[in-house]
Amino acid sequence: MGNGTGIGRVRGLGSARHGAHHWLAQRYTAVGNLLLVLWLIFSLLTMPGLDYESVVGWIANPLVAVPMMLMIVSIFWHLRLGMQVMLEDYVHDKGLAFLSMLLLNFYAIGGAAAGIFAIAKIAFMGAVE
Amino acid sequence: MARTSSRPLSPHLTIWKWGPHMLISILHRITGNGLALVGAMGLVWWLMAAAMGPEAYATFVACATHPLGYVVMIGLTWSFFQHLFSGLRHFVLDMGAGYELNTNRMWSIAATVAAVLVTGFVWLFIFAENF
Ligand code: HEM
């Protein structure tokens, strides 16, 4: 482990002084997930139908599209932070640890971009004939 | 990590008697990471299918309403509520409360039971509405 020396920090060992921010952001996004995913579940349960037309019509409403985009950001940010902690616990090899963080970042940012793009396309262009 | 392999490690994971607090702790990790992979990919798939058009959406619906699709969706519902309740427990512990042995035990059991109950209610509602 790093002993707090300059070279230790350069090698990514020891404190990067990001711990408290990481921990807090995990909690902020947890509250975001709590509210927004409960809202999604409740909406899906009370919608008249989950067929293509109903779902696209529903998402196209700005009061749905915006919370849905926020939900995507909150979920992917939270899972980006959470999976990092899990990987740090189990992946000990330096090279694999680097690779796993690389893939996690691709997954989190790519997944969030795909989700937001899909919502935006539905909101701006409506149903596909 | 530097360690002399001839010296024993503390057998920290094997010597404890299992209790509800250990169960809820590992379930928080399993459900969180399950939601992060299966749940998040399923959500993006649903949105992408809706954005691509009726055919892609029909493919999604066919998979989701396959018996295995229901198993996955019920599993995700339970994972979400399990993670939600153990997450709320984290908030309480973060404030420095709830560490007394009996209180800890009681809330660990309560959160685990609540997750199963809410999952049951949600799916009973869905099946009652649709079948
Ligand atoms: C629905 C989307 C959600 C996903 C995909 C998700 C995913 C995750 C993941 C992967 C972790 C890391 C677990 C580990 O390996 O240690 C985590 C941690 C955490 N989650 Fe969630 N979560 C979600 C919702 C929630 C909700 C609704 C809450 C709050 C009630 C919550 C509260 C927490 C907390 C407090 C932690 C940190 C635990 C710790 O510090 O050890 N999460 N989440």
Side-chain angles (χ1 to χ4, degrees):
Chain A
M1 284 314 243
N3 50 12
T5 60
I7 188 71
R9 276 197 295 278
V10 167
R11 288 177 179 152
L13 302 166
S15 173
R17 296 176 176 269
H18 293 160
H21 176 255
H22 184 285
W23 188 92
L24 273 174
Q26 183 96 59
R27 267 75 191 161
Y28 298 149
T29 53
V31 177
N33 288 354
L34 176 86
L35 298 172
L36 293 163
V37 179
L38 279 180
W39 161 77
L40 175 70
I41 293 177
F42 187 76
S43 308
L44 293 179
L45 287 180
T46 50
M47 257 161 77
L50 289 175
D51 54 289
Y52 176 71
E53 304 291 329
S54 325
V55 165
V56 167
W58 182 65
I59 297 176
N61 180 344
L63 292 179
V64 173
V66 172
M68 194 84 100
M69 287 183 179
L70 293 174
M71 185 186 74
I72 294 287
V73 172
S74 184
I75 289 179
F76 277 96
W77 190 351
H78 182 86
L79 76 78
R80 158 72 186 75
L81 297 169
M83 290 191 73
Q84 177 185 346
V85 174
M86 181 276 294
L87 292 167
E88 282 169 351
D89 278 357
Y90 300 133
V91 183
H92 297 303
D93 179 84
K94 289 261 176 53
L96 286 179
F98 179 82
L99 181 68
S100 63
M101 284 309 134
L102 180 86
L103 294 177
L104 174 59
N105 281 309
F106 282 4
Y107 174 61
I109 296 174
I116 291 172
F117 176 83
I119 299 164
K121 175 163 186 287
I122 296 168
F124 293 136
M125 303 185 60
V128 178
E129 292 317 316
Chain B
M1 249 185 290
R3 100 181 159 80
T4 323
S5 53
S6 59
R7 295 186 61 78
L9 277 174
S10 162
H12 60 291
L13 273 180
T14 48
I15 59 167
W16 303 103
K17 184 159 85 66
W18 270 85
H21 54 296
M22 291 168 77
L23 178 72
I24 198 172
S25 166
I26 192 58
L27 283 182
H28 190 76
R29 171 153 285 185
I30 294 170
T31 54
N33 288 283
L35 288 166
L37 293 169
V38 184
M41 280 197 231
L43 176 68
V44 170
W45 180 17
W46 175 63
L47 289 170
M48 267 295 174
M52 282 181 348
E55 275 171 36
Y57 197 77
T59 311
F60 173 83
V61 170
C63 294
T65 53
H66 182 276
L68 275 180
Y70 281 106
V71 173
V72 172
M73 289 192 294
I74 294 172
L76 286 173
T77 312
W78 170 76
S79 296
F80 175 70
F81 285 109
Q82 175 64 43
H83 191 85
L84 188 160
F85 286 121
S86 51
L88 291 178
R89 177 174 169 273
H90 263 284
F91 292 164
V92 175
L93 296 176
D94 290 345
M95 295 185 295
Y99 286 91
E100 300 77 7
L101 288 184
N102 279 328
T103 318
N104 193 348
R105 188 187 155 76
M106 203 259 289
W107 285 112
S108 303
I109 296 175
T112 313
V113 172
V116 174
L117 286 181
V118 177
T119 307
F121 283 136
V122 167
W123 282 92
L124 275 181
F125 179 81
I126 294 175
F127 284 122
E129 292 271 289
N130 295 287
F131 296 104

